Amino acid sequence: MGESGDSPLRKKTLFIMGLYLKLAWRNIWRNKKRSLISIASVVFAVIIALLTRSMQIGFYRHSINNMVSFFTGYVQVHAPGYYENQSIDRSYVASDSLLRAIAKTEYVTQIAPRLESFALASCGDVTDGVMVIGTDPVSENLLTGLQERVEKGRYLRSEDKGVLLAEGLAKHLRVGIGDTVILLGQGYHAVTAAGKFVVLGTVKFPVPELNSIMVFMALSEAQYFFAAEDRLTSLAVMIEREERLPTVMSALKDKLGESYDVLSWRDMLPELVEYIQTDNASGIIMLIIIYMVIGFGILGTILMMTLERTREFGMLMAVGMKRGVLRGIMVVESILLSLVGALAGVIAGIPIILYLYYHPIVLGGEMAQSMLEWGFDPIMPFATDPSIFLWQALSVLVIALITSLYPLWRVSRLDPVTALRTG
């Protein structure tokens, strides 16, 4: 009964919508030159907005991938309270069940166990504060590519008793390959940690802070040095992609409970988060300016279409056309004009962004040098998220609805007699 009752209403609604579309479409092309110019301005603005947003998101992801691959990984697992008070006394024994639970978590690709603490490094009359990282050489290389950063000497092996020094630290201590450095620190439960270590190699970090303090040694040797047998301060975890981070964080927190702190790169690199938020805000302001250009372009066309048809509106109302019908046609005209431009802009933008995604812009000059110094590839990558295209289309649709308010207001206040005397 419901279907038979609704059917005539549905048919009437579809007929009215089809009529509005047909009338609006014909009205748009009554002045082809003006409509094409208006659509072209929307197409151009949408392409610029797509490129701007794609480049921003691509650069953020590139920066995040670079930073997490330097050292932190996307996620780290600590003992409760370790990150706020980074003492070796807050280390923990990683059981096989813990390692299996993390390794079997969906999207986790690599785990690197670490024992980290601070010490004094000395050679001759030079002494410096250093950060000692005991790690599994194979896992560490898979997670951070540490072996590729070896400048002189060779990379660590699991059975090694020597150390790798950051290049800046080696220069400050005036040591080379085969020389000996003395490390003095505080081990687990305040045990004195002291030892002599042969320099096996030097590694170069582009970030100055890392290049001046890092000392790497095999995990077993670090545990012996700090008297922290089988203990770790962190498990660094790498995942497939940054987009999987919320899923991985949720799964790890559910599995590990309150026995461990699970921190993401956002918790460990607040400066990078702040930079991205600031830059993103400036990018959104730029997009708003572009949208304003789009809005004024559409509004100009709608304004001209409304003013030049005032007499026509008056005549239609004089012969009985309702104001609601006129308002509906004007809204559809505005939306059609915007959507045609937005769709054409998206269709034109897709191949451009795909090309730039696979062939990112290679930077040169001082900008390239600056990025290399910070360890970033000197490129400007682009992102291809479907949401980038969807948001542009939705934004233009909202602009179209806003610009249609003027003809609605104009038709609502139109006096048929006065309108017939116009022009």
Side-chain angles (χ1 to χ4, degrees):
M1 183 175 177
E3 288 187 4
S4 60
D6 290 339
S7 182
L9 178 61
R10 191 161 55 244
K11 287 182 178 178
K12 183 179 179 181
T13 303
L14 290 174
F15 173 77
I16 293 174
M17 289 176 63
L19 182 64
Y20 280 17
L21 282 171
K22 190 178 293 183
L23 290 173
W25 185 254
R26 288 179 177 176
N27 285 335
I28 287 175
W29 298 110
R30 284 165 63 178
N31 191 329
K32 293 182 181 177
K33 187 178 294 183
R34 183 186 58 209
S35 296
L36 285 174
I37 291 173
S38 180
I39 290 172
S41 68
V42 175
V43 171
F44 180 75
V46 167
I47 292 175
I48 296 296
L50 286 173
L51 289 174
T52 302
R53 200 60 186 154
S54 173
M55 186 171 64
Q56 270 190 304
I57 294 177
F59 181 71
Y60 297 154
R61 288 188 181 154
H62 186 61
S63 302
I64 293 168
N65 288 334
N66 272 290
M67 291 303 290
V68 299
S69 64
F70 275 165
F71 185 64
T72 63
Y74 281 100
V75 180
Q76 286 195 5
V77 178
H78 301 146
Y82 170 78
Y83 196 71
E84 292 76 20
N85 181 10
Q86 297 186 20
S87 166
I88 198 170
D89 289 342
R90 293 181 182 272
S91 57
Y92 61 96
V93 177
S95 62
D96 292 340
S97 60
L98 171 65
L99 295 172
R100 278 198 302 272
I102 298 174
K104 289 184 177 179
T105 302
E106 194 175 16
Y107 306 126
V108 169
T109 57
Q110 191 61 47
I111 306 171
R114 292 173 181 162
L115 179 67
E116 306 168 11
S117 191
F118 295 93
L120 289 174
S122 177
C123 184
D125 58 351
V126 182
T127 302
D128 209 346
V130 298
M131 185 175 186
V132 180
I133 312 295
T135 185
D136 175 66
V138 176
S139 301
E140 188 68 40
N141 184 50
L142 290 173
L143 193 139
T144 63
L146 183 62
Q147 188 169 3
E148 296 176 4
R149 301 188 185 281
V150 174
E151 285 283 295
K152 296 178 181 176
R154 65 169 175 83
Y155 186 59
L156 275 177
R157 296 169 188 153
S158 300
E159 68 277 10
D160 277 337
K161 306 296 183 184
V163 295
L164 287 179
L165 298 185
E167 185 189 46
L169 175 64
K171 286 181 180 177
H172 186 247
L173 294 175
R174 296 196 288 271
V175 295
I177 309 304
D179 291 342
T180 300
V181 294
I182 298 172
L183 295 179
L184 177 63
Q186 182 174 294
Y188 185 58
H189 282 177
V191 171
T192 299
K196 294 181 178 179
F197 298 91
V198 175
V199 178
L200 302 172
T202 60
V203 289
K204 184 176 182 179
F205 289 94
V207 181
E209 287 78 6
L210 297 179
N211 206 39
S212 61
I213 65 169
M214 303 296 273
V215 175
F216 291 90
M217 64 174 67
L219 179 61
S220 57
E221 185 64 15
Q223 290 170 334
Y224 176 77
F225 174 64
F226 287 113
E229 188 176 1
D230 297 330
R231 303 189 74 83
L232 304 174
T233 53
S234 64
L235 283 166
V237 179
M238 191 63 83
I239 63 176
E240 284 183 4
R241 297 197 306 270
E242 208 271 336
E243 294 88 339
R244 307 298 190 191
L245 184 59
T247 305
V248 173
M249 288 290 292
S250 177
L252 287 177
K253 286 181 177 179
D254 287 344
K255 285 183 179 181
L256 306 184
E258 297 181 354
S259 301
Y260 300 93
D261 283 347
V262 180
L263 302 180
S264 72
W265 68 267
R266 292 177 178 274
D267 303 311
M268 296 179 284
L269 299 170
E271 300 85 2
L272 181 59
V273 174
E274 186 176 353
Y275 164 75
I276 290 176
Q277 289 174 340
T278 304
D279 191 75
N280 190 44
S282 64
I284 290 174
I285 292 173
M286 179 64 72
L287 283 179
I288 291 174
I289 294 173
I290 294 173
Y291 290 145
M292 288 176 66
V293 173
I294 296 175
F296 280 114
I298 298 172
L299 181 62
T301 303
I302 297 297
L303 194 64
M304 293 296 294
M305 289 169 65
T306 306
L307 291 176
E308 73 180 15
R309 290 159 62 192
T310 301
R311 183 181 175 83
E312 174 189 328
F313 291 158
M315 184 179 66
L316 291 172
M317 292 173 67
V319 298
M321 180 175 279
K322 296 180 180 178
R323 292 179 191 270
V325 176
L326 277 178
R327 286 196 289 260
I329 293 173
M330 294 303 294
V331 170
V332 175
E333 284 180 21
S334 178
I335 292 174
L336 277 180
L337 196 65
S338 307
L339 278 184
V340 169
L343 288 175
V346 169
I347 292 171
I350 287 174
I352 298 173
I353 289 176
L354 281 177
Y355 177 81
L356 292 171
Y357 175 77
Y358 290 108
H359 304 86
I361 297 172
V362 179
L363 302 175
E366 293 183 359
M367 183 174 288
Q369 188 60 36
S370 176
M371 293 186 73
L372 284 171
E373 288 176 357
W374 283 93
F376 295 168
D377 297 327
I379 59 174
M380 190 61 73
F382 284 73
T384 57
D385 295 19
S387 61
I388 297 173
F389 302 95
L390 180 63
W391 275 111
Q392 305 315 311
L394 289 176
S395 299
V396 174
L397 180 61
V398 171
I399 291 170
L401 291 173
I402 293 174
T403 56
S404 66
L405 293 178
Y406 173 75
L408 292 181
W409 174 81
R410 179 87 179 174
V411 170
S412 299
R413 294 173 58 87
L414 192 68
D415 177 44
V417 177
T418 306
L420 286 171
R421 294 174 180 167
T422 304

